Amino acid sequence: EELRADGLYLLPGAIDSHVHFRDPGYPRKENWKSGSAAAACGGVTTVFDMPNTNPPTGTLEALRLKQKAAESSYVDYGIHGLFGDDTVDRLEELLEGGVTSFKAFVGNTFGNLPAPSDGALLEGFEKLAPLGIRTVVHAENSSIMARRQQRLQDAGRNDALAHLASRPAVCEIEAIGRVLALAEWTGARVHIAHHSAADSLFVLREAKRRGVDVTVETCPQYLLLNTGDTGRLGGILRLNPPIREARHNQPLWDALMEGVIDMIATDHAPHTPEEKTRDSIWDCDCGFPGVETQMPLMLTEINRERATLMDYVRWSSVNPAKAWGLYGAKGVIAPGAHADIAVVDMARGGVLSQGRLHSLSRISPWHGRTVRGVPLHTLVRGRFVMRDGNLVEEAAGWGRSVKAVQRMPAPRPRNADSYTSAVLATPEGAPPARPLEMM
Ligand code: NCD
Ligand code: ZN
Ligand code: ZN
């Protein structure tokens, strides 16, 4: 057999900070085995799973159920624990139990988990800041959204554009600003999930300039789709935050180049085809699968010279590894690093087909899209999990938690007065309050 290497590149496997593998809780939508198979076939070697499962990952018992489910994973994984009003007292316990990080749903979305109050955010950030642990935030203002949505529903507006109008970008500006103010005050590390809008980039740029340790992800759907696609796709395209107008696409690319946005994640959010195609847009579940299609979609744009392959590696592997304390062990091809590798064929093309996805949610807005640049083989810690484009089924269960190799760098010392320690610590243990030192 002829060995051909033209067009082949060795990339560090992608690290996807944002997937919903739905396990435990929603077996018709996804499970760890199907979700991680999709990751393996998408060149993704590490995923971070979101806590809006059932039960939500906010107690040790729920965490144990998720860890059990994750034993069938093809790829390595981190687990985001739930950050909410009633879990703030359990953050340390959850960390000891094995979560790598936390997720705060500041904005209503699938699973209907209540948003943490601002008071709980402040308390939790004060606890996590000295530990250097990063919190993912879904940052949208729910009160604006809920009222908008009610008005549109009352007016009988069942179309896709009404859904978009219910979530104006000011929802992001307000919630991101609020979260970043608390992050700066406490010195906590935060991560903005699925950043969708050009209008809110200025808040992030300013926070980074001020030295706030905030990392930011965007997703292929915000870079490549826009309201021009909503007529064609309807409820399939319904997700939180919404696909926005075309004017947002290029500024998100520019922000990636500038470093205001650090990385690509997918927000892999599987639902069944039935749940995505109901008559009214308001009855369609939000989100769609993405972990298997991210790499081909992005490599296609690299082939179109929108960025270089090195830029892509920074966004897919290097920066997420740094954000989650894995850099050195993962996110890089180097001596001493895990052999987490995606071998990609930049010359091979094809048409994405939802019927061939490994996710149980075989309904995708990318169906029928032509790509060029695909992963051919995926290795996790030296073992093939996809070979010649085929899932290596015996590799189910090879995935491990990344907790063992996670090393968050020490946080910068802060001088912020300590609300939580002042209120909750024993009198003799409470540090003296000092004024906030401006940077
Ligand atoms: C996500 C889901 O389905 O879990 N849905 C979505 O539209 N993005 C939840 C989320 O990330 O907000
Ligand atoms: Zn979200
Ligand atoms: Zn999500």
Side-chain angles (χ1 to χ4, degrees):
E1 198 195 343
E2 194 181 326
L3 183 74
R4 53 169 291 271
D6 54 308
L8 294 191
Y9 291 81
L10 235 63
L11 311 186
I15 299 173
D16 190 336
S17 305
H18 191 153
V19 304
H20 301 266
F21 282 173
R22 309 291 192 211
D23 194 354
Y26 304 98
R28 283 173 305 121
K29 295 177 192 282
E30 197 74 289
N31 59 57
W32 264 93
K33 197 169 175 187
S34 57
S36 68
C41 294
V44 177
T45 50
T46 303
V47 295
F48 285 79
D49 186 61
M50 287 294 171
N52 59 335
T53 38
N54 193 9
T57 320
T59 62
L60 271 186
E61 303 79 79
L63 176 60
R64 295 290 170 246
L65 290 176
K66 181 157 291 186
Q67 287 165 327
K68 189 80 200 141
E71 283 176 11
S72 60
S73 185
Y74 287 90
V75 302
D76 286 353
Y77 53 87
I79 294 175
H80 297 307
L82 181 67
F83 184 133
D85 274 57
D86 43 357
T87 67
V88 161
D89 287 334
R90 290 197 293 273
L91 299 178
E92 297 92 340
E93 187 181 313
L94 288 165
L95 280 169
E96 272 167 39
V99 307
T100 45
S101 36
F102 290 95
K103 166 74 179 280
F105 289 90
V106 180
N108 188 41
T109 187
F110 178 74
N112 282 320
L113 297 172
S117 62
D118 296 336
L121 276 175
L122 182 60
E123 267 184 39
F125 283 176
E126 288 207 320
K127 286 188 177 197
L128 296 177
L131 305 176
I133 294 296
R134 194 177 294 279
T135 300
V136 184
V137 186
H138 172 135
E140 287 188 288
N141 179 305
S142 333
S143 116
I144 297 176
M145 294 189 311
R147 190 176 172 93
R148 265 295 171 100
Q149 178 164 334
Q150 198 54 55
R151 291 285 191 186
L152 289 161
Q153 280 181 284
D154 291 349
R157 290 282 309 276
N158 281 344
D159 56 306
L161 288 171
H163 165 66
L164 301 177
S166 74
R167 309 179 97 90
V170 71
C171 290
E172 279 195 3
I173 298 177
E174 190 282 329
I176 291 172
R178 183 157 39 100
V179 165
L180 293 182
L182 296 169
E184 178 167 10
W185 185 262
T186 55
R189 293 193 162 116
V190 290
H191 176 83
I192 303 298
H194 44 43
H195 192 84
S196 71
D199 304 300
S200 38
L201 288 168
F202 78 97
V203 192
L204 298 168
R205 187 178 291 113
E206 174 62 11
K208 288 195 171 196
R209 195 189 65 73
R210 291 171 67 85
V212 179
D213 192 339
V214 52
T215 52
V216 185
E217 68 183 37
T218 189
C219 314
Q221 51 269 32
Y222 301 117
L223 294 166
L224 298 173
L225 299 177
N226 56 58
T227 49
D229 301 292
T230 53
R232 179 171 58 91
L233 292 163
I236 295 176
L237 213 48
R238 184 174 182 213
L239 88 160
N240 305 323
I243 297 297
R244 299 193 184 277
E245 297 85 351
R247 71 176 175 88
H248 293 269
N249 293 141
Q250 187 57 42
L252 295 177
W253 282 96
D254 296 342
L256 275 165
M257 293 304 277
E258 186 188 342
V260 170
I261 298 178
D262 301 271
M263 68 189 78
I264 306 289
T266 64
D267 190 9
H268 176 84
H271 299 285
T272 66
E274 188 272 320
E275 290 160 339
K276 291 299 290 171
T277 54
R278 293 175 179 146
D279 290 344
S280 159
I281 184 92
W282 303 114
D283 295 332
C284 294
D285 279 343
C286 290
F288 46 79
V291 74
E292 192 167 355
T293 47
Q294 177 272 115
M295 195 173 280
L297 289 165
M298 291 301 294
L299 293 181
T300 303
E301 300 308 308
I302 302 307
N303 266 325
R304 292 188 178 130
E305 298 183 358
R306 279 191 97 158
T308 68
L309 201 52
M310 286 306 287
D311 292 324
Y312 173 69
V313 166
R314 210 168 61 244
W315 305 334
S316 66
S317 305
V318 175
N319 287 348
K322 288 181 175 167
W324 307 112
L326 306 180
Y327 193 65
K330 295 187 174 293
V332 63
I333 299 177
H338 290 169
D340 292 344
I341 291 168
V343 181
V344 305
D345 187 340
M346 292 299 287
R348 183 183 292 205
V351 177
L352 294 176
S353 165
Q354 60 194 13
R356 288 210 296 267
L357 294 177
H358 289 78
S359 171
L360 297 187
S361 169
R362 296 200 178 86
I363 185 151
S364 164
W366 308 110
H367 180 68
R369 196 172 171 107
T370 301
V371 293
R372 193 161 65 89
V374 296
L376 214 56
H377 316 295
T378 307
L379 292 90
V380 174
R381 284 174 287 106
R383 176 165 181 186
F384 282 96
V385 292
M386 175 179 71
R387 190 166 199 158
D388 296 315
N390 296 312
L391 180 69
V392 178
E393 292 189 14
E394 313 83 77
W398 177 245
R400 290 288 174 269
S401 166
V402 297
K403 183 80 179 176
V405 293
Q406 186 183 33
R407 304 274 176 276
M408 294 303 289
R412 210 148 9 115
R414 300 292 304 179
N415 287 322
D417 63 336
S418 178
Y419 160 86
T420 303
S421 50
V423 175
L424 299 181
T426 54
E428 58 277 20
R434 272 173 293 174
L436 179 67
E437 189 179 88
M438 299 309 288
M439 30 202 1

